[in-house]
Amino acid sequence: VAPHRQALGIGQACFEEAIRYAAQIAGALETAHAAGIVHRDLKPGHVFLALEYGEPSVKLLDFGLAKLLDPDPRDAADRDA
């Protein structure tokens, strides 16, 4: 076990699991951002672990403070034409 993990009491399996969850959180945020949505209140209480096909899967909850990004002004010009 690497010294920093040992100091934190984190074993290799736990560390790898945390990395998988972090990657899923990043992917969920990437999907939201691609749809023009910014969460604005990401915290541990808004990250939920669910089982999908027997494997843990991260779900982001509570988009109540989310904000829609301003659409690209060029898109609005195309719609108005």
Side-chain angles (χ1 to χ4, degrees):
V1 176
H4 65 284
R5 294 187 197 132
Q6 191 171 22
L8 295 172
I10 299 173
Q12 182 66 28
C14 183
F15 183 76
E16 290 173 1
E17 188 175 20
I19 294 298
R20 279 195 307 274
Y21 295 153
Q24 288 183 34
I25 292 167
L29 290 172
E30 181 179 32
T31 299
H33 293 174
I37 301 167
V38 178
H39 190 285
R40 298 187 341 150
D41 193 25
L42 185 61
K43 57 188 173 187
H46 293 162
V47 177
F48 181 78
L49 287 177
L51 284 179
E52 287 188 351
Y53 307 105
E55 294 292 322
S57 177
V58 169
K59 304 294 180 192
L60 293 185
L61 308 177
D62 198 353
F63 278 75
L65 295 179
K67 179 177 181 176
L68 290 176
L69 297 174
D70 291 331
D72 187 336
R74 294 171 292 184
D75 291 340
D78 290 341
R79 285 191 304 266
D80 294 338

Coordinates of all heavy atoms in Angstrom, one line a residue:
V1 N 0.9 -1.2 0.0 CA 0.0 0.0 0.0 C 0.9 1.2 0.0 O 1.8 1.3 0.8 CB -0.9 0.0 1.2 CG1 -1.8 1.3 1.3 CG2 -1.8 -1.2 1.2
A2 N 0.6 2.2 -0.9 CA 1.4 3.4 -0.9 C 1.3 4.2 0.4 O 0.3 4.1 1.1 CB 0.8 4.3 -2.1
P3 N 2.4 4.9 0.7 CA 2.4 5.6 2.0 C 1.2 6.6 2.3 O 0.7 6.6 3.4 CB 3.7 6.4 2.0 CG 4.5 5.7 1.0 CD 3.6 5.1 0.0
H4 N 0.8 7.3 1.3 CA -0.3 8.3 1.5 C -1.6 7.5 1.8 O -2.4 8.0 2.5 CB -0.4 9.2 0.3 CG -0.8 8.6 -1.0 ND1 0.1 7.9 -1.7 CD2 -2.0 8.6 -1.6 CE1 -0.5 7.4 -2.8 NE2 -1.8 7.8 -2.8
R5 N -1.8 6.4 1.1 CA -3.0 5.6 1.4 C -3.0 5.0 2.8 O -4.0 4.9 3.5 CB -3.2 4.5 0.3 CG -3.4 5.1 -1.1 CD -3.8 4.0 -2.0 NE -3.6 4.4 -3.4 CZ -3.0 3.8 -4.3 NH1 -2.4 2.7 -4.1 NH2 -2.9 4.4 -5.5
Q6 N -1.8 4.5 3.1 CA -1.6 3.9 4.4 C -1.9 4.9 5.5 O -2.5 4.6 6.5 CB -0.2 3.3 4.6 CG 0.0 2.4 5.8 CD 1.3 1.7 5.8 OE1 2.2 2.2 5.1 NE2 1.4 0.6 6.5
A7 N -1.4 6.1 5.4 CA -1.6 7.2 6.4 C -3.1 7.5 6.5 O -3.5 7.8 7.6 CB -0.8 8.4 6.0
L8 N -3.8 7.4 5.4 CA -5.3 7.7 5.5 C -6.1 6.4 5.8 O -7.3 6.5 6.0 CB -5.7 8.2 4.1 CG -5.2 9.5 3.7 CD1 -5.6 9.8 2.3 CD2 -5.7 10.6 4.6
G9 N -5.4 5.3 6.0 CA -6.1 4.0 6.3 C -6.9 3.5 5.1 O -7.9 2.9 5.3
I10 N -6.4 3.8 3.9 CA -7.1 3.4 2.7 C -6.3 2.3 2.0 O -5.2 2.4 1.7 CB -7.2 4.6 1.7 CG1 -8.0 5.7 2.3 CG2 -7.8 4.1 0.4 CD1 -8.1 6.9 1.4
G11 N -7.0 1.1 1.9 CA -6.3 0.0 1.2 C -6.4 0.2 -0.3 O -7.2 1.0 -0.8
Q12 N -5.7 -0.6 -1.1 CA -5.7 -0.5 -2.5 C -7.1 -0.7 -3.1 O -7.5 0.1 -4.0 CB -4.7 -1.6 -3.1 CG -4.6 -1.5 -4.6 CD -4.0 -0.3 -5.2 OE1 -3.2 0.3 -4.5 NE2 -4.3 0.1 -6.4
A13 N -7.8 -1.7 -2.7 CA -9.2 -1.9 -3.2 C -10.1 -0.7 -3.0 O -10.8 -0.3 -3.9 CB -9.8 -3.2 -2.6
C14 N -10.0 -0.1 -1.8 CA -10.9 1.0 -1.5 C -10.5 2.2 -2.4 O -11.3 2.9 -2.8 CB -10.7 1.4 0.0 SG -11.8 2.7 0.5
F15 N -9.2 2.4 -2.5 CA -8.7 3.5 -3.4 C -9.2 3.4 -4.8 O -9.7 4.3 -5.4 CB -7.2 3.6 -3.3 CG -6.6 4.7 -4.1 CD1 -6.6 6.0 -3.6 CD2 -6.0 4.5 -5.3 CE1 -6.1 7.1 -4.3 CE2 -5.4 5.6 -6.0 CZ -5.5 6.9 -5.5
E16 N -9.1 2.2 -5.4 CA -9.5 1.9 -6.7 C -11.0 2.1 -6.9 O -11.5 2.6 -7.9 CB -9.1 0.5 -7.2 CG -7.6 0.4 -7.4 CD -7.1 -1.0 -7.6 OE1 -7.9 -1.9 -7.7 OE2 -5.9 -1.2 -7.8
E17 N -11.8 1.7 -5.8 CA -13.2 1.9 -5.9 C -13.5 3.4 -5.8 O -14.4 3.9 -6.6 CB -13.8 1.2 -4.6 CG -15.3 1.2 -4.6 CD -15.8 0.4 -3.4 OE1 -15.1 0.2 -2.5 OE2 -17.0 0.0 -3.5
A18 N -12.8 4.2 -5.0 CA -13.0 5.6 -5.0 C -12.7 6.3 -6.3 O -13.5 7.2 -6.8 CB -12.2 6.3 -3.9
I19 N -11.7 5.8 -7.0 CA -11.4 6.3 -8.3 C -12.5 6.0 -9.3 O -12.9 6.8 -10.2 CB -10.0 5.8 -8.8 CG1 -8.9 6.3 -8.0 CG2 -9.8 6.1 -10.3 CD1 -8.7 7.8 -8.0
R20 N -13.0 4.8 -9.3 CA -14.2 4.4 -10.2 C -15.4 5.4 -9.9 O -16.0 5.8 -10.8 CB -14.6 3.0 -9.9 CG -13.7 2.0 -10.7 CD -14.4 0.6 -10.7 NE -14.8 0.1 -9.5 CZ -14.0 -0.6 -8.6 NH1 -12.7 -0.8 -8.9 NH2 -14.5 -1.1 -7.5
Y21 N -15.7 5.6 -8.6 CA -16.8 6.5 -8.3 C -16.5 7.9 -8.8 O -17.4 8.6 -9.4 CB -17.1 6.5 -6.8 CG -17.5 5.2 -6.3 CD1 -17.3 4.9 -4.9 CD2 -18.2 4.3 -7.0 CE1 -17.7 3.7 -4.4 CE2 -18.6 3.0 -6.5 CZ -18.4 2.8 -5.2 OH -18.8 1.6 -4.7
A22 N -15.3 8.4 -8.6 CA -15.0 9.7 -9.1 C -15.1 9.9 -10.6 O -15.6 10.9 -11.1 CB -13.5 10.1 -8.6
A23 N -14.7 8.8 -11.3 CA -14.8 8.8 -12.8 C -16.3 8.8 -13.2 O -16.7 9.5 -14.1 CB -14.1 7.6 -13.4
Q24 N -17.2 8.1 -12.4 CA -18.6 8.1 -12.7 C -19.2 9.5 -12.4 O -20.0 10.0 -13.2 CB -19.3 7.1 -11.9 CG -19.0 5.7 -12.4 CD -19.8 4.6 -11.6 OE1 -20.9 4.9 -11.2 NE2 -19.2 3.5 -11.4
I25 N -18.8 10.1 -11.4 CA -19.2 11.5 -11.0 C -18.8 12.5 -12.1 O -19.7 13.3 -12.6 CB -18.7 12.0 -9.7 CG1 -19.3 11.1 -8.6 CG2 -19.0 13.5 -9.5 CD1 -18.7 11.3 -7.2
A26 N -17.6 12.4 -12.6 CA -17.1 13.2 -13.7 C -17.9 13.0 -14.9 O -18.3 13.9 -15.6 CB -15.6 13.0 -13.9
G27 N -18.2 11.7 -15.2 CA -19.0 11.4 -16.4 C -20.4 12.0 -16.4 O -20.9 12.5 -17.4
A28 N -21.0 11.9 -15.2 CA -22.3 12.4 -15.0 C -22.3 14.0 -15.2 O -23.2 14.5 -15.8 CB -22.9 12.1 -13.6
L29 N -21.3 14.6 -14.6 CA -21.2 16.1 -14.8 C -21.0 16.4 -16.3 O -21.5 17.4 -16.8 CB -20.1 16.6 -13.9 CG -20.4 16.6 -12.4 CD1 -19.2 17.0 -11.6 CD2 -21.6 17.5 -12.1
E30 N -20.1 15.6 -16.9 CA -19.9 15.9 -18.3 C -21.2 15.8 -19.2 O -21.4 16.6 -20.0 CB -18.8 14.9 -18.8 CG -18.5 15.1 -20.3 CD -17.4 14.1 -20.8 OE1 -17.4 12.9 -20.3 OE2 -16.6 14.5 -21.6
T31 N -22.0 14.8 -18.9 CA -23.2 14.6 -19.6 C -24.2 15.8 -19.3 O -24.8 16.3 -20.2 CB -23.9 13.3 -19.1 OG1 -23.1 12.2 -19.4 CG2 -25.3 13.1 -19.8
A32 N -24.3 16.2 -18.1 CA -25.1 17.4 -17.7 C -24.6 18.6 -18.4 O -25.4 19.4 -19.0 CB -25.1 17.6 -16.2
H33 N -23.3 18.9 -18.4 CA -22.7 20.0 -19.1 C -22.9 20.0 -20.6 O -23.2 21.1 -21.2 CB -21.2 20.1 -18.8 CG -20.9 20.4 -17.3 ND1 -19.6 20.4 -16.8 CD2 -21.7 20.7 -16.3 CE1 -19.7 20.7 -15.5 NE2 -21.0 20.9 -15.2
A34 N -22.9 18.8 -21.2 CA -23.1 18.7 -22.6 C -24.6 19.1 -22.9 O -24.8 19.6 -24.0 CB -22.8 17.3 -23.1
A35 N -25.5 18.9 -22.0 CA -26.9 19.3 -22.1 C -27.1 20.7 -21.7 O -28.2 21.2 -21.7 CB -27.8 18.3 -21.3
G36 N -26.0 21.4 -21.3 CA -26.2 22.8 -21.0 C -26.6 23.1 -19.5 O -27.1 24.1 -19.2
I37 N -26.4 22.1 -18.7 CA -26.8 22.2 -17.3 C -25.6 22.1 -16.3 O -24.7 21.3 -16.5 CB -27.7 21.0 -16.9 CG1 -29.0 21.0 -17.8 CG2 -28.1 21.0 -15.4 CD1 -29.8 19.7 -17.7
V38 N -25.6 23.1 -15.4 CA -24.5 23.1 -14.4 C -25.2 22.8 -13.0 O -26.2 23.5 -12.7 CB -23.8 24.5 -14.3 CG1 -22.8 24.6 -13.2 CG2 -23.2 24.8 -15.7
H39 N -24.7 21.8 -12.3 CA -25.3 21.4 -11.1 C -25.3 22.4 -10.0 O -26.3 22.7 -9.4 CB -24.6 20.1 -10.6 CG -25.3 19.4 -9.4 ND1 -25.3 19.9 -8.2 CD2 -26.0 18.3 -9.4 CE1 -26.0 19.1 -7.4 NE2 -26.4 18.1 -8.1
R40 N -24.2 23.0 -9.7 CA -24.0 24.2 -8.8 C -24.1 23.8 -7.3 O -24.0 24.7 -6.4 CB -24.9 25.3 -9.1 CG -24.6 25.9 -10.4 CD -25.3 27.2 -10.7 NE -26.5 27.5 -10.0 CZ -26.9 28.8 -9.7 NH1 -26.2 29.8 -10.2 NH2 -28.0 29.0 -9.0
D41 N -24.3 22.5 -6.9 CA -24.5 22.2 -5.5 C -24.0 20.7 -5.3 O -24.6 20.0 -4.6 CB -25.9 22.3 -5.0 CG -26.0 22.3 -3.5 OD1 -25.0 22.6 -2.8 OD2 -27.1 21.9 -3.0
L42 N -22.8 20.4 -5.9 CA -22.3 19.1 -5.8 C -21.7 18.9 -4.4 O -20.8 19.7 -4.0 CB -21.3 18.8 -6.9 CG -20.7 17.4 -7.0 CD1 -21.9 16.4 -7.2 CD2 -19.7 17.3 -8.0
K43 N -22.1 17.9 -3.7 CA -21.6 17.6 -2.4 C -21.9 16.1 -2.1 O -22.7 15.5 -2.8 CB -22.2 18.5 -1.3 CG -23.7 18.5 -1.2 CD -24.1 19.6 -0.2 CE -25.6 19.7 -0.2 NZ -26.0 20.9 0.6
P44 N -21.2 15.5 -1.1 CA -21.4 14.1 -0.8 C -22.9 13.7 -0.7 O -23.3 12.6 -1.1 CB -20.6 13.9 0.4 CG -19.5 14.9 0.4 CD -20.2 16.1 -0.2
G45 N -23.7 14.5 -0.1 CA -25.1 14.2 0.1 C -25.9 14.1 -1.1 O -27.0 13.6 -1.1
H46 N -25.3 14.6 -2.2 CA -26.0 14.6 -3.5 C -25.5 13.5 -4.4 O -25.8 13.5 -5.6 CB -26.0 16.0 -4.2 CG -26.8 17.0 -3.4 ND1 -26.6 18.3 -3.6 CD2 -27.7 16.9 -2.5 CE1 -27.4 19.0 -2.8 NE2 -28.1 18.1 -2.1
V47 N -24.6 12.7 -3.9 CA -24.1 11.5 -4.7 C -24.7 10.3 -4.0 O -24.5 10.0 -2.9 CB -22.6 11.5 -4.6 CG1 -22.0 10.3 -5.3 CG2 -22.0 12.8 -5.2
F48 N -25.4 9.5 -4.9 CA -26.1 8.3 -4.4 C -25.5 7.1 -5.1 O -25.2 7.1 -6.3 CB -27.6 8.4 -4.7 CG -28.4 7.3 -4.3 CD1 -28.8 7.1 -3.0 CD2 -28.8 6.3 -5.2 CE1 -29.6 6.1 -2.6 CE2 -29.6 5.3 -4.8 CZ -30.0 5.1 -3.5
L49 N -25.3 6.0 -4.4 CA -24.8 4.8 -5.0 C -26.0 3.8 -5.1 O -26.7 3.6 -4.2 CB -23.8 4.1 -4.1 CG -22.4 4.8 -4.1 CD1 -21.5 4.0 -3.2 CD2 -21.8 4.8 -5.5
A50 N -26.2 3.4 -6.3 CA -27.3 2.4 -6.6 C -26.6 1.2 -7.2 O -25.5 1.2 -7.8 CB -28.3 3.0 -7.6
L51 N -27.3 0.1 -7.2 CA -26.9 -1.1 -7.8 C -27.5 -1.3 -9.2 O -28.8 -1.2 -9.3 CB -27.2 -2.4 -7.0 CG -26.3 -2.6 -5.8 CD1 -26.8 -3.9 -5.0 CD2 -24.9 -2.7 -6.1
E52 N -26.7 -1.4 -10.2 CA -27.2 -1.6 -11.5 C -26.5 -2.9 -12.0 O -25.3 -2.9 -12.1 CB -26.9 -0.5 -12.5 CG -27.8 0.7 -12.2 CD -27.6 1.8 -13.2 OE1 -26.6 1.7 -14.1 OE2 -28.3 2.8 -13.2
Y53 N -27.3 -3.9 -12.3 CA -26.8 -5.2 -12.8 C -25.8 -5.8 -11.8 O -24.7 -6.3 -12.2 CB -26.1 -5.1 -14.2 CG -27.1 -4.4 -15.2 CD1 -26.9 -3.1 -15.6 CD2 -28.1 -5.1 -15.7 CE1 -27.8 -2.5 -16.5 CE2 -29.0 -4.6 -16.6 CZ -28.8 -3.3 -17.0 OH -29.7 -2.7 -17.9
G54 N -26.0 -5.5 -10.5 CA -25.2 -6.1 -9.4 C -23.9 -5.3 -9.2 O -23.1 -5.6 -8.3
E55 N -23.7 -4.1 -9.9 CA -22.5 -3.3 -9.7 C -22.9 -1.9 -9.2 O -24.0 -1.4 -9.6 CB -21.8 -3.1 -11.0 CG -21.2 -4.4 -11.6 CD -20.1 -4.9 -10.7 OE1 -19.3 -4.1 -10.2 OE2 -19.9 -6.1 -10.6
P56 N -22.1 -1.4 -8.2 CA -22.5 0.0 -7.8 C -22.4 1.0 -8.9 O -21.4 1.0 -9.7 CB -21.4 0.3 -6.7 CG -20.6 -1.0 -6.5 CD -21.0 -1.9 -7.6
S57 N -23.3 1.9 -8.9 CA -23.4 3.0 -9.9 C -23.7 4.3 -9.3 O -24.6 4.4 -8.4 CB -24.4 2.6 -11.0 OG -24.5 3.6 -11.9
V58 N -23.0 5.3 -9.6 CA -23.2 6.6 -9.0 C -24.3 7.4 -9.7 O -24.4 7.4 -10.9 CB -21.9 7.5 -9.1 CG1 -22.1 8.9 -8.8 CG2 -20.8 6.9 -8.3
K59 N -25.2 8.0 -8.9 CA -26.2 8.8 -9.4 C -26.1 10.2 -8.7 O -25.9 10.3 -7.5 CB -27.6 8.3 -9.0 CG -27.9 6.8 -9.5 CD -27.9 6.7 -11.0 CE -28.1 5.3 -11.4 NZ -27.9 5.1 -12.8
L60 N -26.2 11.3 -9.5 CA -26.2 12.6 -9.0 C -27.6 13.1 -8.7 O -28.4 12.9 -9.6 CB -25.5 13.6 -9.9 CG -24.0 13.4 -10.1 CD1 -23.4 14.5 -11.0 CD2 -23.2 13.3 -8.8
L61 N -27.8 13.6 -7.5 CA -29.2 14.0 -7.1 C -29.2 15.5 -6.9 O -28.2 16.2 -6.8 CB -29.5 13.3 -5.8 CG -29.4 11.8 -5.7 CD1 -29.7 11.3 -4.3 CD2 -30.3 11.1 -6.7
D62 N -30.4 16.0 -6.8 CA -30.8 17.3 -6.4 C -30.2 18.4 -7.3 O -29.2 19.1 -7.0 CB -30.3 17.6 -4.9 CG -31.0 18.9 -4.4 OD1 -31.7 19.6 -5.2 OD2 -30.9 19.1 -3.2
F63 N -30.8 18.5 -8.4 CA -30.4 19.5 -9.4 C -31.2 20.8 -9.2 O -31.4 21.6 -10.1 CB -30.5 19.0 -10.8 CG -29.4 18.2 -11.3 CD1 -29.2 16.9 -10.9 CD2 -28.5 18.7 -12.2 CE1 -28.2 16.1 -11.4 CE2 -27.4 17.9 -12.7 CZ -27.3 16.6 -12.2
G64 N -31.7 21.0 -7.9 CA -32.6 22.1 -7.6 C -31.9 23.5 -7.8 O -32.5 24.5 -8.1
L65 N -30.6 23.5 -7.6 CA -29.9 24.8 -7.8 C -29.2 24.8 -9.2 O -28.4 25.8 -9.4 CB -28.8 25.0 -6.7 CG -29.3 25.2 -5.3 CD1 -28.2 25.3 -4.3 CD2 -30.2 26.4 -5.2
A66 N -29.5 23.9 -10.0 CA -28.9 23.8 -11.3 C -29.2 25.0 -12.1 O -30.2 25.7 -11.9 CB -29.3 22.6 -12.1
K67 N -28.3 25.3 -13.1 CA -28.5 26.5 -13.9 C -28.3 26.0 -15.4 O -27.4 25.3 -15.7 CB -27.5 27.6 -13.6 CG -27.6 28.8 -14.5 CD -26.6 29.9 -14.0 CE -26.8 31.1 -14.9 NZ -26.0 32.2 -14.6
L68 N -29.2 26.5 -16.2 CA -29.0 26.2 -17.6 C -28.0 27.2 -18.2 O -28.1 28.4 -17.9 CB -30.3 26.4 -18.4 CG -31.4 25.3 -18.1 CD1 -32.7 25.6 -18.9 CD2 -30.9 24.0 -18.6
L69 N -27.1 26.7 -18.9 CA -26.1 27.6 -19.5 C -26.8 28.4 -20.6 O -27.7 28.0 -21.2 CB -25.0 26.8 -20.1 CG -24.1 26.0 -19.2 CD1 -23.1 25.1 -19.9 CD2 -23.4 26.9 -18.2
D70 N -26.3 29.6 -20.8 CA -26.8 30.5 -21.9 C -26.5 29.8 -23.2 O -25.4 29.3 -23.5 CB -26.1 31.8 -21.9 CG -26.5 32.7 -20.7 OD1 -27.6 32.5 -20.2 OD2 -25.6 33.5 -20.3
P71 N -27.6 29.7 -24.0 CA -27.4 29.1 -25.3 C -26.4 29.9 -26.2 O -26.2 31.1 -25.9 CB -28.8 29.1 -26.0 CG -29.5 30.1 -25.2 CD -28.9 30.2 -23.9
D72 N -25.8 29.3 -27.1 CA -24.9 29.9 -28.0 C -25.7 31.0 -28.8 O -26.6 30.6 -29.5 CB -24.2 28.9 -28.9 CG -23.1 29.5 -29.8 OD1 -23.1 30.7 -30.1 OD2 -22.3 28.7 -30.2
P73 N -25.3 32.2 -28.8 CA -26.0 33.3 -29.5 C -26.1 33.0 -31.0 O -27.1 33.3 -31.6 CB -25.2 34.6 -29.3 CG -24.2 34.3 -28.2 CD -24.1 32.8 -28.1
R74 N -25.1 32.2 -31.5 CA -25.2 31.9 -33.0 C -26.4 30.9 -33.2 O -27.0 31.0 -34.3 CB -23.9 31.2 -33.4 CG -22.7 32.2 -33.4 CD -21.4 31.5 -33.6 NE -21.2 30.7 -32.4 CZ -20.1 30.0 -32.2 NH1 -19.2 29.9 -33.1 NH2 -20.0 29.2 -31.2
D75 N -26.7 30.1 -32.2 CA -27.8 29.2 -32.4 C -29.1 30.0 -32.4 O -30.0 29.7 -33.2 CB -27.9 28.1 -31.3 CG -26.7 27.1 -31.3 OD1 -26.1 27.0 -32.4 OD2 -26.4 26.5 -30.3
A76 N -29.2 31.0 -31.6 CA -30.4 31.8 -31.5 C -30.6 32.5 -32.8 O -31.8 32.6 -33.3 CB -30.4 32.8 -30.3
A77 N -29.6 33.0 -33.4 CA -29.6 33.7 -34.7 C -30.1 32.8 -35.8 O -30.9 33.2 -36.6 CB -28.3 34.3 -35.0
D78 N -29.7 31.5 -35.7 CA -30.1 30.6 -36.7 C -31.6 30.3 -36.6 O -32.3 30.1 -37.6 CB -29.3 29.2 -36.6 CG -27.9 29.4 -37.0 OD1 -27.6 30.4 -37.8 OD2 -27.1 28.5 -36.7
R79 N -32.1 30.2 -35.3 CA -33.5 29.9 -35.1 C -34.4 31.1 -35.5 O -35.5 30.9 -36.0 CB -33.8 29.6 -33.6 CG -33.3 28.3 -33.1 CD -33.8 27.9 -31.7 NE -33.5 29.0 -30.8 CZ -32.4 28.9 -30.0 NH1 -31.5 27.9 -30.1 NH2 -32.1 29.8 -29.1
D80 N -33.9 32.3 -35.3 CA -34.7 33.5 -35.7 C -34.7 33.8 -37.2 O -35.6 34.5 -37.6 CB -34.2 34.7 -34.9 CG -34.3 34.6 -33.4 OD1 -35.2 33.8 -33.0 OD2 -33.6 35.2 -32.7
A81 N -33.8 33.2 -37.9 CA -33.7 33.5 -39.4 C -34.8 32.8 -40.1 O -35.5 32.0 -39.8 CB -32.4 33.0 -39.9

